[in-house]
Amino acid sequence: MTLTVSKVLILSTPVVVLLSESAVLQGAFLLAEKLCLPSSLSSLQKDDWSRVGRPVLEAVREICRQDKLNSHSATTSVSWTEKLVCALWLKLLCREAGEDVEVSWRENPFFPLQNGLPEVSHVVLLEVVRSMGAAQTFAQFLLCLPRSQICTELERLVQYTRSSPTREDDARLFLEVWWELWKGRDEQTAGGEDSIGTMFARQCARLSSKSSGESSQAAKRLKLDPPDPSAMSPTTDVLHILLHALKDVKDHISTTDLCLQALSVSLDALHTAFLIDQAAVLSTIEKMHILSKTVSIREKNDEKLSPELIREAQRDLRASHTPSQFQPSRMKLDEALKIITEAAQFWQSSGLLKVNESSDPSYSAFKLEQSVQRVLTDLQKAEVPAAMTEKNLLRGLLESLAFPAVESSPEMNARVTAMIISHRLDDHQNYALLFASEKSWAACDEHWIDCIEKNQAAFQHRSILIKLTSTLMSKLHRQSTNVSHCRKLMKVIADIFSALSLKDKNKALAAMLRLSSRGFFACSVPPAVIDGFELELNMAFNCIIQGGGGESAAASQGNLNTAVSLVARVAFQNPEAALRSCCHSAIFNKGAFSLMAKILQQLPGLIGQKGREDEAQSDEDEGKGAEESIADGKVAASGSSLLCRCLQELFKTKSLSANEREQFLKCLGLLMMPVMAVEGEEVKQSFLLPEEVVNTFVLSNLSTMGQSSFDTELSLQLLHTALSVDVQEPASSPHWVMDCSPFPLLYVLAQLYNHTLRCWEQTPGGAAPHWSMDTRELLLSVLTTLGQVVGAEVAAAPSSWSRALFWLYNKVEELDWSVRFHLKAVWGEHFKNEVPSSLLTVCDLPEQEWSGLDLPQYGQGTGLLAWMECCSISDSLQSTMLSGLSLDRRRPDHIGMFSKGVLVALTQTLPWCSVPQWTRLLGVLRELIASERLHVPFSLEYVDYLPLLDLRRFSCELRLSVLLLRVLQLLCGSSCSHWLSVDGWAHVGRLYAHSVKDVMNSVRAKLPLPSSGALTSMSPKAPASRNSNPSCTSIKSPKMSQDISQKDLKHPGGPPLKAAESHREEEVEAVPSQEVLFVLSQLFCHVQHIQVMMPGGQCEPLFLSSLEILSHYEAIMAAFPDSSSPLESDNTRHFFSTITDNLENREMKAALQQKIAQLVSSAA
């Protein structure tokens, strides 16, 4: 063979064979072929290999040495060994299959190498494998074959081993191949599609299919005689072949080490083929100890710790505990026991099973010890009636074996585990968990921390992270702590946490809270560590506050994600400190409450364990113990979360401004809103449960009974917000408020509301009252809402809450009688409506539903006062009072007396009404006036001459205004003026201003201002109706036009146009612009009169009402210029200015007079 090119590629795949190296191998084989003369390598006998095989072995060693010098891969020698074994084996298989050269050179990538080799026998192949220590390679190739061919090749191996001379190396090769088969395919060395093993398997499959195809064709051409059974492979049972081979070669095993190896392999084969049907589960620490002992033994035999060493030990361990892939089909357990027992007895009698306990243990002895323990454990469970003798013999024999103790140091355990983690070997995730858990390994600070730092990805699991955290905490709490190492480890752990997904971060945060609410700082730690964390904490929140606003939605979302990551990172290190900073930022940084709420909503892991009880207290517990628990603050303590505790501490140490309180309320309101915390989750959840907020902040503060007005108002606002939250609860579960001592809470709210009923009364000593009307309205809203919720629960399960219901009813009895009506939703139909007895004298109410109370403050003649108070409580009660009013309209003296009574009752009721209550009373007054049950005489107090106007359509507005004037005159009189404080008069002014607005809205509805388009289309010189006032402008109502056209259709006689015109003249209605101006002027005078009368005379709401009246007056004059002549305008200016001169406040007087001047000039 001549070479023209030094190196060429002979494979189109990544597997490259250098032609010069192939030539060396081919030359070596040719030389071996010459040394065989007159025989050949194809007929070589085993004992001749030592004479002819040296050139081949020297050639392979030289190739590997040269490659190593040329800095090729460390696996080059293995690769060349694989190539040679593969080429030799394929040459044998091609010869057996009778493959044509023309086909082989095209389809076989190894053809150039194997074609240059002389013909060889299986003896040459096996001698090359034995001499080169390539049992693993041979076994891996063997596993590429189908089961039947594996058995055939094993028979050849057994035949080779048995053939003379049988050397101990032959037995070792046999045992090594056996155990490699049992370990199965090595996926790491198997490689990909272009690996040598894969290509070998592909060629074997191709040759096998070709052989089967030719056999079928031959069968069609020629009917052969039946095959000789003795000529065929006796079985496809791999274990049967191997155990019977062991029986034959046991006599040729003469060393203790090989004997121990043989017994270990056979016992493991027995165990995995017969005694287990599923893989045994070993804990990570058990596997680690076995691997560490293996490495310790091998290191004493001058082997170095390496990933390959550990990987092979893991394969051994896995093969020993996993059912074999070669399950027996012919071999039975009793037969296997008999063969192994006979072999073990032979070796024991030969003294080969004695292990020197004083010397260092060998790996074979250690493996056998492990095998013996497994077999003894499982053999006891096996039932083998046919081989009970062999079973007992084997048990006795195995129990008699003694092995030296093998220990592994903590340092070795740590080194092995670190190696598995660093090189991502099998099951490295569980080893990472073990590595993080072992506090004794952490004592080796530098190496332990370095491993974690360099392999952070392996530790990115929440369970591992929590183990690391526990280890760090134990290090921090030791007396002698290496601060630099602790700070480094803390940073590494924080980095690992930061790399988790948001979902896993939340799980890790929840796990950290279960360990400690203060994280790493649960106990005292070195000051330097604290300082470092506080610096990180401050920097994190400074970055969040400074970068709070994104210019776009994407930027805003990016900022939010960054903020969430920053807060989560510091929160994992110290949840309490992070939440305290969140609270501080949310309250004291303007506008930051929204951002903080969004951040916390994405970190539900910080919610921690709730103090919420599974079932609400009811009956006696609600009635007796809950009130005391509110007063003692026990409910708040049990239901408070970490965030609530942080907020409570902040309130104790800081005095909040109004703006800061508002931010606090808004932040808690957002946190109670259910949101989708993490994308992909279906259920929404609240960071703070409403019941938690109520238990923490509301119950304890309300128990002080108003000693701090801020605390009470804040608590009411929080309760109102909590009740407004739409919580997604299962339909079958009770409302969350039932976990908040609802009946005692209702009683406390009722008590507070009872205090507010006389909120303007001076307290003893002349102290200023501390209840505002806004607080009262908020309190009433909360009381009503809570009552509706509790009432629904009571109605759903009345028997469960009956005792608590009676308890509440009896407790409320000591309060004002009107309070019970605000709890009507709670009572349902369980109790009668109880009212002052005097009310029943003026109102006809059914005795089945109503009963009277003898109250000292409601004596004779107070019926209308009670009736008026009932009308203000609720819409339904107002309707009942109006329909049941006992009044004979036919008797003028009754109407007169009733009207006077209403005036007095209204005077007594007005100052104590909230805006909603006063609105109801205004509706009652309108109804009474409209139904002519209330007589209010209208006198022209502010005009010198009787105007020629039709004021009937404004009768209600004028009378209502006069009635309110009379009420205020009475209230401001000498007999009543001392009733109210400054705040009380201010509230009366607000209510009267509300009444004026109500009257103004009614007037506007009767004469809407035309739009700008209507004004331009309307002719200012349009002729007036002949029956109308000259000062009124006539416009046609669209509804009337439709009515006229319908009537025209019903009058066929007469000219249609004339009929239409006559109807228009009859139906045209004058716009009451002058009447409206008159009403507005009267209203303005009433407001000014009252403002002058009221103490102080500086009521701003009345001043604003006057400006509103003047503005509307001006708008009417502009829209309807003919409604007032210049002379009338001048008189109006003078009149309004004269009225306004009575005001004491100069600024208000000047503003009104300026408005009046503009009013007149615009009209002129």
Side-chain angles (χ1 to χ4, degrees), residues 590-618:
K590 188 174 182 180
F593 69 90
S594 176
L595 177 60
M596 289 299 135
K598 289 179 181 177
I599 291 171
L600 292 177
Q601 283 168 341
Q602 294 202 37
L603 296 175
L606 286 174
I607 296 174
Q609 297 297 318
K610 297 290 180 187
R612 175 176 177 172
E613 297 176 355
D614 293 335
E615 294 184 5
Q617 293 181 338
S618 61

Side-chain angles (χ1 to χ4, degrees), residues 62 215 242 308 448 521 576 724 746 862 881 914 922 1027:
E62 180 62 21
S215 299
L242 295 174
E308 291 74 20
W448 187 76
F521 305 90
E576 186 175 320
S724 304
L746 282 170
T862 59
M881 292 296 109
S914 63
L922 286 176
N1027 294 327

Side-chain angles (χ1 to χ4, degrees), residues 706-825:
Q707 295 173 13
S708 169
S709 60
F710 161 67
D711 283 344
T712 301
E713 186 168 359
L714 178 65
S715 299
L716 291 174
Q717 289 172 325
L718 279 175
L719 181 55
H720 182 268
T721 303
L723 290 171
S724 304
V725 173
D726 181 19
V727 179
Q728 296 177 336
E729 290 184 313
S732 58
S733 64
H735 194 278
W736 61 263
V737 84
M738 306 308 287
D739 292 335
C740 302
S741 304
F743 290 95
L745 178 57
L746 282 170
Y747 175 59
V748 172
L749 293 174
Q751 281 183 306
L752 293 176
Y753 182 70
N754 187 66
H755 291 316
T756 65
L757 291 178
R758 291 293 181 263
C759 53
W760 309 129
E761 292 181 356
Q762 295 288 343
T763 55
H770 56 265
W771 295 111
S772 69
M773 189 56 68
D774 290 339
T775 303
R776 177 180 165 185
E777 291 182 14
L778 175 62
L779 180 56
L780 182 57
S781 173
V782 169
L783 184 62
T784 304
T785 305
L786 182 61
Q788 290 171 349
V789 173
V790 175
E793 294 294 332
V794 171
S799 58
S800 301
W801 302 104
S802 59
R803 299 176 70 181
L805 191 66
F806 277 95
W807 173 86
L808 178 61
Y809 191 83
N810 293 331
K811 294 291 287 184
V812 176
E813 187 176 5
E814 65 194 35
L815 307 179
D816 187 84
W817 64 270
S818 62
V819 174
R820 281 181 173 171
F821 282 98
H822 295 294
L823 296 172
K824 181 63 179 173

Side-chain angles (χ1 to χ4, degrees), residues 324-490:
S324 173
Q325 61 175 314
F326 300 106
Q327 289 298 309
S329 58
R330 179 175 176 184
M331 172 73 70
K332 301 299 180 184
L333 175 58
D334 54 349
E335 185 182 359
L337 282 172
K338 185 175 182 180
I339 292 174
I340 295 173
T341 302
E342 289 177 355
Q345 287 175 327
F346 175 77
W347 290 326
Q348 188 179 43
S349 63
S350 302
L352 295 178
L353 293 181
K354 291 182 180 180
V355 181
N356 188 357
E357 297 186 14
S358 60
S359 62
D360 291 335
S362 66
Y363 182 55
S364 299
F366 174 69
K367 272 196 68 180
L368 178 59
E369 181 185 11
Q370 299 292 315
S371 303
V372 167
Q373 290 175 358
R374 288 189 292 269
V375 170
L376 285 176
T377 300
D378 293 325
L379 191 60
Q380 190 173 1
K381 307 171 187 176
E383 295 182 4
V384 197
M388 190 60 68
T389 304
E390 287 79 6
K391 174 183 174 180
N392 293 332
L393 282 173
L394 182 60
R395 282 185 57 191
L397 189 150
L398 295 179
E399 288 171 351
S400 68
L401 298 178
F403 302 94
V406 180
E407 300 294 337
S408 61
S409 64
E411 292 78 9
M412 177 59 71
N413 294 341
R415 285 175 58 205
V416 169
T417 306
M419 182 72 74
I420 294 172
I421 296 168
S422 301
H423 293 272
R424 302 293 189 274
L425 298 181
D426 186 40
D427 205 21
H428 70 275
Q429 202 76 53
N430 286 327
Y431 283 98
L433 179 60
L434 176 64
F435 193 79
S437 308
E438 288 293 326
K439 294 180 175 60
S440 60
W441 300 352
C444 314
D445 284 329
E446 203 64 51
H447 298 295
W448 187 76
I449 295 175
D450 284 346
C451 176
I452 298 172
E453 185 177 20
K454 293 175 182 176
N455 301 282
Q456 292 186 20
F459 294 87
Q460 287 173 8
H461 191 276
R462 62 180 183 278
S463 57
I464 302 176
L465 197 58
I466 294 303
K467 290 295 184 182
L468 274 178
T469 299
S470 300
T471 305
L472 171 61
M473 290 166 69
S474 65
K475 287 171 69 69
L476 286 169
H477 304 158
R478 286 207 304 259
Q479 292 289 339
S480 56
T481 301
N482 189 321
V483 174
S484 63
H485 284 168
C486 287
R487 292 182 65 176
K488 182 179 180 181
L489 179 58
M490 189 183 295

